[in-house]
Amino acid sequence: MSSTARSPTLGRALLLGCRAGLLVFLLLYTLCALLNMQLGYQGNESRVVTEWVWSEWRGVVLWQVARLLAAYSVIGLTLGAL
């Protein structure tokens, strides 16, 4: 019985690399979002303004977060493929 290891195909290697890159970027994005989801500037934050922004502009803020997530995904997949 010979147990020779097969080298991965190009497609499989790209898939594994893309997946690894995507996971790293998603992890970094999640950390950034969790540690810095504030509406303040240089340490100054107004509770009234924060509540107003979240009540009036929640959809816009979440859409921007989704766009950032998509950008991180594209960058992660691209760098993972390289």
Side-chain angles (χ1 to χ4, degrees):
M1 248 201 262
S2 73
S3 103
T4 58
R6 292 186 302 162
S7 61
T9 64
L10 178 62
R12 182 164 167 77
L14 285 176
L15 177 65
L16 292 174
C18 289
R19 198 170 24 175
L22 177 61
L23 289 175
V24 167
F25 273 79
L26 288 177
L27 175 69
L28 291 174
Y29 178 80
T30 302
L31 285 175
C32 288
L34 290 175
L35 298 176
N36 196 25
M37 191 62 120
Q38 304 173 20
L39 297 175
Y41 179 70
Q42 293 186 348
N44 299 312
E45 187 173 3
S46 169
R47 182 181 176 121
V48 173
V49 172
T50 299
E51 289 174 3
W52 177 76
V53 168
W54 278 116
S55 67
E56 295 292 323
W57 301 96
R58 179 182 305 269
V60 174
V61 171
L62 294 178
W63 173 244
Q64 295 302 322
V65 169
R67 287 179 60 196
L68 285 172
L69 185 60
Y72 270 105
S73 297
V74 168
I75 292 169
L77 288 169
T78 302
L79 289 179
L82 297 176

